[in-house]
Amino acid sequence: MSSPHSDSDTDSDQSQSGSEPVRHSDLSDSIFRSYLEFTGRSSATNTDLSKIQSFLTSSSSGALSCLICLERIRPAHPTWSCTSVCFSVFHLICIQSWARQASDLSALRASTRLPISAQKAAEVSLWNCPKCRVEYPQSQIPKTYFCFCGKLENPPSDDPWVLPHSCGEVCNRPLNHSCGHHCLLLCHPGPCPSCPKLVKARCFCGSVQDVRRCGFKNFSCNNVCKKLLACRVHCCSEICHQGPCPPCPVRAVYRCQCGKREEERECCERLDFRCEEPCEKVLGCGQHKCSKGCHSEDCGPCPFQGKRTCPCGKTVHEGLSCKASVPLCGATCSKMLSCGYHRCPERCHRGQCIVTCRTVVIKSCRCGSLKKEVPCHQDLTCERKCQRQRDCGRHACKRRCCDGDCPPCSEVCGRKLRCKNHKCPSPCHRGACAPCPVMVTIACLCGETHFEVPCGIEMDQKPPRCPKPCPITLLCRHGKNRKPHKCHYGACPPCRVLCEEEYSCGHKCKLRCHGPRPPPNPEFTLKPKKKKSLHQSECTPGSPCPPCPEHVWRSCVGQHIGVERMMVCSDKTLFSCENLCGNPLPCGNHFCTKTCHPLKNQSLPSVQQARSEPCEKCHLPCGKEREPACSHPCPLSCHPGDCPPCKVLVKRSCHCGSMVHVFECIYYNSLSEKEQMAARSCGGPCHRKLPYCNHLCPELCHPGQCSFPEKCSKKVTVRCACQSLKKEWLCHDVQAAYRNAGSDPKDISKNQFGHALIPCNSNCKSKLKVIDSELQLRRPKTVEVKEPDTDKHGPKRKKRRERVQEVTQISTLQKIVSNVKRFLLLVTLVLVLVAVSYYGYKGLLWLNDWMNEVEEKRQGRYPRI
């Protein structure tokens, strides 16, 4: 077991008494050796030995003090220790004086309050332990000096290897719980630890048996108890527990003892279940009923049978029927009244006598200063106060009309105790107050080494020296790498390592560590010793690192190359090189023409960002080539990134020219050449004339020239020169005939296509003459017919124009009429709303007047009383 105290204990002994022999500072190993060899080191063992260890630490550190005189208990002083609860150690002389005073005061109180002699009161008097207040008889007032275990009288104090006030032998005191074993430690202060012997023990319910330490043999198996409950019917359902099982909680319907009522109750209540109704069973006489409450036993005989007396008890009647009432004897009642002095003066009567005695007697008050005739039941008191001193000797009795037996003083003592920190909390008493029961714990900073001293002497004690490492976490950045130091009071020693904390610029601080130091614990900090203050040329502990003193090359605010300056790293001064900025503008196409100025950069500090100045804005039009390429310029001003898609609509006719398509430029240009040709096709017939004839292309709308125009398969009517003969040829045959004749089919007009390709016969000449004569006759008629046709077309166009004008005039008139109608409708609605509001307000006023008249009539008919 590690020692919780240090060499400071011997220092405190030698500083006060140089003549005392030097003692070994650690006696816990020798005292606990035999016990630990038997039990081993466990958490339960450490808990049992903690109080003994606290006594050993206090004794070895010189902090063991007497609670009565508050003086230090030295190894040569005779002592006495309480053996009941607190195990506190006192000077033998102090405890003897304390016990005699307490027993004498107890005997005095007993002799004044009880009818016993002074000798008898002295024999039965008690005295209390000054700390735990356990009572001891007068016969146990200590007279001789014994060691802690009580075997050796006047133990030696000059052996450095034996604990002071100890015999050095095995304690051998009986252990708690009367297990039959004895303590294995050497003679020691404080309570004995729990019994370490191994015994066979059963759990609380008795179902599990295990081998355990004798001091911890009571255990729970954590199973269901299953013991038979008091009802002798059900078993306990609780987890294995200590003590008796709880009442049976099973609920069921049970009858009361007389059997009249049934209720749902717990099983433990069924035997005591009595209803609130009387029994009312017929007694043996057959005339009366039992007047007892609910019960299970026999009702017994009729109370009106056998010998009976009159109400006053003077006359005895025998042989009366239980139906007949006992006659009154006519004598005086003479029963004792409630006052205990007078008897009832009335004649023999039924029922109770008078409650209060009305006899007038002469009474004296309790103090005897007043006499008066009053009714017997009335107490007589006067108004005079007692003013006699109570048994405490400090306060007077304030009770009125006191008979001399003053009650004990109920005031709190309140006198300041010898510790100068607390007041006596006991009731007011004679003699000296009990010592202050508060114990102050003096410990090292980590709390592992500690001892208790009485309140009032803690300022004169030295704290124990702890050999364990300091538990305080150092706040500087070198705390993990520093060599650990022992537990101490006050501030930790300063760190002597170079700071080497990295600045934001990347350099490291080259001063000695100036990080924060943890504050001392205020509860256990000792007063610091006066030392000469040393002048520190470096940073004050806990101060931040100074600005970085390194020299670096720094560029201008515009980040230009070749104009850097040598500056201190912590100097954040900005400068301009007066050159053109030259940084790309946000558009990404042009450059800034301003003088060198600070740029906006997210990596710079917030102060520099606040001073930054943006580059000029580009107002030039966009000159980028679009992709896919098109002839339309970008409508935006100069901008970064790609131009938006071209949404200009372009017109493209189909291949045959019969339809015009409209496309978005970006869509049309994004198509391949083949897809563009397919998109431009209208999907209908070609509608283009063939080059060698007047026929249209028979194919669907297609790009390029029509295929095989010389192979047109349309039918053409071929005539002779006089147009008398006609035949149907295919168009490519007609073209071949023209080529054979040495003419080009393209030069032939539409009206002459196929003319004079068939030779005339003999009948053609006579027909030509007739045709010529007919043509001559038709020529003037055709001219006359054409002239009126041209005249008719003019008036038709004029009529259309007039009709359009009339339609436009009618539509304007309709608009005017519709507007007038809307206006009239709006005016009508406004008038209706005004009328409704006016007449509604008038109606409300009339209704109010009518209600007032009705109220006045009702009040006149039923006036208030």
Side-chain angles (χ1 to χ4, degrees), residues 496-731:
R496 299 295 180 181
V497 186
L498 292 181
C499 179
E500 294 186 351
E501 185 173 357
E502 188 173 354
Y503 292 103
S504 58
C505 59
H507 302 115
K508 293 184 179 180
C509 179
K510 297 181 180 179
L511 300 178
R512 184 171 291 176
C513 180
H514 48 83
R517 288 190 292 174
N521 194 329
E523 185 178 354
F524 305 116
T525 301
L526 298 178
K527 294 182 180 180
K529 298 180 180 179
K530 294 183 179 180
K531 292 183 179 180
K532 294 182 180 180
S533 60
L534 300 176
H535 179 69
Q536 296 182 355
S537 59
E538 299 175 353
C539 297
T540 305
S543 63
C545 294
C548 181
E550 299 289 337
H551 286 78
V552 294
W553 288 98
R554 185 164 296 160
S555 61
C556 63
V557 293
Q559 305 294 325
H560 295 119
I561 300 174
V563 291
E564 291 84 358
R565 294 181 186 177
M566 179 68 73
M567 302 179 68
V568 178
C569 184
S570 58
D571 186 6
K572 304 300 181 181
T573 305
L574 304 177
F575 68 94
S576 174
C577 65
E578 302 300 331
N579 296 328
L580 293 179
C581 176
N583 284 300
L585 296 178
C587 63
N589 305 319
H590 305 93
F591 298 92
C592 179
T593 59
K594 286 184 178 181
T595 308
C596 180
H597 61 89
L599 303 176
K600 284 190 175 181
N601 190 354
Q602 296 296 333
S603 61
L604 294 177
S606 59
V607 178
Q608 296 186 14
Q609 289 185 12
R611 297 178 182 175
S612 61
E613 179 183 351
C615 293
E616 60 184 352
K617 294 183 179 179
C618 183
H619 299 287
L620 298 175
C622 179
K624 293 182 181 179
E625 293 184 1
R626 290 190 168 186
E627 291 184 4
C630 69
S631 59
H632 306 107
C634 179
L636 303 177
S637 58
C638 190
H639 61 85
D642 297 334
C643 296
C646 183
K647 300 292 184 179
V648 179
L649 299 178
V650 294
K651 294 182 179 180
R652 295 289 184 271
S653 62
C654 64
H655 303 297
C656 63
S658 62
M659 184 181 294
V660 177
H661 296 280
V662 179
F663 301 99
E664 282 188 355
C665 182
I666 181 64
Y667 169 72
Y668 187 75
N669 291 331
S670 62
L671 300 176
S672 63
E673 185 177 357
K674 187 176 181 180
E675 291 174 344
Q676 288 181 0
M677 291 298 178
R680 287 180 58 184
S681 176
C682 63
C686 183
H687 289 98
R688 283 188 293 182
K689 289 184 179 181
L690 296 176
Y692 303 118
C693 62
N694 297 323
H695 300 118
L696 301 178
C697 179
E699 298 179 0
L700 297 178
C701 183
H702 60 87
Q705 297 294 330
C706 296
S707 59
F708 306 107
E710 67 277 1
K711 294 184 179 181
C712 181
S713 60
K714 295 286 185 180
K715 291 182 179 181
V716 179
T717 301
V718 181
R719 296 179 183 272
C720 62
C722 64
Q723 297 186 359
S724 298
L725 299 177
K726 61 179 180 179
K727 288 184 180 179
E728 288 186 352
W729 287 7
L730 295 177
C731 183

Side-chain angles (χ1 to χ4, degrees), residues 688-859:
R688 283 188 293 182
K689 289 184 179 181
L690 296 176
Y692 303 118
C693 62
N694 297 323
H695 300 118
L696 301 178
C697 179
E699 298 179 0
L700 297 178
C701 183
H702 60 87
Q705 297 294 330
C706 296
S707 59
F708 306 107
E710 67 277 1
K711 294 184 179 181
C712 181
S713 60
K714 295 286 185 180
K715 291 182 179 181
V716 179
T717 301
V718 181
R719 296 179 183 272
C720 62
C722 64
Q723 297 186 359
S724 298
L725 299 177
K726 61 179 180 179
K727 288 184 180 179
E728 288 186 352
W729 287 7
L730 295 177
C731 183
H732 61 83
D733 294 336
V734 175
Q735 294 178 17
Y738 278 118
R739 290 190 185 95
N740 294 332
S743 59
D744 192 357
K746 295 181 181 179
D747 299 335
I748 308 300
S749 63
K750 181 179 179 181
N751 295 331
Q752 297 297 325
F753 193 76
H755 183 67
L757 291 180
I758 304 175
C760 294
N761 56 11
S762 58
N763 295 329
C764 290
K765 295 181 179 179
S766 59
K767 290 182 180 180
L768 284 172
K769 294 179 180 179
V770 175
I771 290 170
D772 292 337
S773 61
E774 289 179 356
L775 288 173
Q776 291 178 358
L777 292 173
R778 291 176 183 176
R779 282 175 185 170
K781 291 181 182 180
T782 56
V783 174
E784 294 176 358
V785 172
K786 288 179 182 178
E787 290 178 358
D789 291 340
T790 57
D791 297 339
K792 290 180 182 179
H793 289 298
K796 287 183 179 179
R797 292 178 182 173
K798 292 180 180 178
K799 288 180 181 179
R800 288 178 184 173
R801 292 175 184 172
E802 292 175 357
R803 194 177 301 164
V804 171
Q805 291 178 358
E806 290 176 0
V807 171
T808 55
Q809 291 176 0
I810 292 171
S811 62
T812 306
L813 182 61
Q814 288 177 351
K815 290 181 180 179
I816 294 172
V817 171
S818 62
N819 292 333
V820 171
K821 288 182 179 179
R822 291 175 183 172
F823 178 73
L824 293 176
L825 180 61
L826 180 62
V827 170
T828 305
L829 290 175
V830 171
L831 293 175
V832 169
L833 291 175
V834 171
V836 169
S837 303
Y838 175 76
Y839 287 108
Y841 179 71
K842 288 289 186 181
L844 290 174
L845 292 177
W846 176 82
L847 180 61
N848 189 21
D849 296 340
W850 178 77
M851 292 178 69
N852 292 336
E853 291 177 0
V854 171
E855 183 66 21
E856 290 177 357
K857 291 180 181 180
R858 186 179 65 80
Q859 291 179 359

